Amino acid sequence: MIALIQCPELTGIENAWGPGVDTCLLNVVDRPILQHILETLSDCGVRKLHVHLGQENQRRMELLGDGSRWGMTIRTWFGPAPSEEMNAAILDDLKDAQGFVVGSGDSLPQLAQLVAENARVVGSKADGSVGDWIILPGYSGIRWINHQLPGELAMMSTPKQTLWMDTRDPKALLESQRLLLERKFSAVPLFGCEIKPGVWAARGAKIDSSAVVEGPAYIGPFAIIGRDCNVLACSVIGEGAVVEQGTQIESSCVGNNTRVGKRLYLRDALILGDVFFSTRYATSVKISDSMLAGEI
């Protein structure tokens, strides 16, 4: 199989994340969504992947590499729009391909199930909207690249309802986190040990003996959970994060290398460095008091 992933630009000021956020590199539980995508494509049998980026991005390039880490060959293309050279390279690969997958760098459906069901159009999120992933036979992929297919695409098959990982806004990320922790993406392993049912802890994580951690939850590498803390269902504590004494976290995410101060209560929220996002109130705020939250 051949695949094309189109990665969006960094978010703008109108986005719920605010300006300058790379939604392709936001973690869903234990690794960036773009890594989830690469691993899933490899598991589905993709051996040649084309990635379109608007411009060069060092962090994305480091993750992608040449593809050998993921068991595939990756070619990366740059520019505001797909180039003739990129389309020609994809067409050449499609000559002998069994199938063609087109997707976004910041969303991921239950792809293995859809490939097994021979789905053609991937759509039907929980809100009924049609997604931006497409699965095609190789010969239809050739027509899609040549702009001969779009008008017929909707008639090829009925979109199948599926669950999604999605990092395009804070609410979508927390919902994706919940689905992954609840093992709705059962083919996706979590990095770490299941120290009790539904609770995963990665290497170097430290949890005080007085702390309560209830599953499903994930404690990242070298994270520290302090005395009398409660980390409750559907919460993620990122790599190197510190949660100080007496804080309670529920259905929330503490980002990598983020410190959360004492005796706070987080619910339906994300803290990434010194920015607090509330999905309950659809708002965000930059935290100026380093005693409450901040980057380590």
Side-chain angles (χ1 to χ4, degrees):
M1 288 182 70
I2 306 302
L4 166 64
I5 296 299
Q6 304 180 90
C7 292
E9 297 291 339
L10 304 187
T11 56
I13 194 169
E14 74 288 345
N15 189 277
W17 288 116
V21 173
D22 191 341
T23 53
C24 297
L25 296 181
L26 289 173
N27 276 20
V28 181
V29 182
D30 58 346
R31 52 206 190 269
I33 189 168
L34 183 56
Q35 183 171 340
H36 283 294
I37 291 168
L38 295 171
E39 293 169 348
T40 300
L41 290 172
S42 180
D43 289 345
C44 289
V46 171
R47 295 295 171 259
K48 292 184 178 181
L49 172 63
H50 296 263
V51 180
H52 178 232
L53 305 175
Q55 55 189 346
E56 291 195 42
N57 180 304
Q58 187 63 33
R59 290 183 62 204
R60 290 180 181 181
M61 296 295 293
E62 288 175 357
L63 177 58
L64 291 166
D66 62 2
S68 57
R69 176 183 176 188
W70 317 110
M72 62 177 81
T73 300
I74 294 179
R75 294 188 68 178
T76 308
W77 306 87
F78 305 101
S83 65
E84 292 185 9
E85 184 183 3
M86 184 190 88
N87 287 342
I90 295 174
L91 286 171
D92 189 57
D93 286 341
L94 281 170
K95 291 176 183 176
D96 302 313
Q98 295 292 319
F100 182 47
V101 179
V102 183
S104 168
D106 57 4
S107 68
L108 177 66
Q110 289 178 312
L111 192 61
Q113 177 182 339
L114 290 160
V115 169
E117 293 173 354
N118 197 30
R120 297 291 181 87
V121 181
V122 178
S124 292
K125 297 185 180 183
D127 62 4
S129 63
V130 175
D132 47 12
W133 281 67
I134 304 170
I135 304 171
L136 299 169
Y139 62 87
S140 294
I142 292 173
R143 297 188 65 198
W144 189 88
I145 290 291
N146 286 325
H147 308 291
Q148 297 172 337
L149 192 64
E152 306 165 31
L153 203 55
M155 297 184 291
M156 292 182 64
S157 69
T158 302
K160 293 179 179 288
Q161 188 164 4
T162 184
L163 299 176
W164 290 73
M165 292 187 212
D166 190 343
T167 60
R168 283 174 278 196
D169 61 67
K171 186 175 181 179
L173 190 151
L174 282 185
E175 174 63 12
S176 303
Q177 173 177 295
R178 180 187 67 80
L179 293 172
L180 199 54
L181 288 172
E182 291 180 349
R183 312 307 292 138
K184 298 297 175 61
F185 283 77
S186 56
V188 178
L190 296 177
F191 296 152
C193 298
E194 194 171 8
I195 57 176
K196 66 179 186 179
V199 176
W200 286 267
R203 69 189 187 282
K206 295 182 179 180
I207 303 172
D208 190 90
S209 60
S210 65
V212 175
V213 182
E214 296 181 359
Y218 179 83
I219 312 299
F222 306 105
I224 298 174
I225 309 299
R227 185 159 53 91
D228 298 325
C229 290
N230 291 331
V231 179
L232 305 180
C234 297
S235 291
V236 167
I237 310 301
E239 180 175 357
V242 176
V243 180
E244 295 190 352
Q245 177 183 352
T247 286
Q248 179 167 309
I249 297 173
E250 182 177 358
S251 300
S252 296
C253 174
V254 175
N256 292 347
N257 303 313
T258 297
R259 179 184 293 272
V260 179
K262 296 179 180 179
R263 299 181 181 87
L264 300 180
Y265 176 54
L266 302 181
R267 183 178 179 187
D268 303 325
L270 302 97
I271 294 184
L272 305 179
D274 60 354
V275 182
F276 171 85
F277 299 90
S278 171
T279 61
R280 175 173 293 192
Y281 300 108
T283 189
S284 64
V285 62
K286 188 174 180 66
I287 300 170
S288 58
D289 188 341
S290 62
M291 295 300 292
L292 298 179
E295 244 180 296
I296 298 175

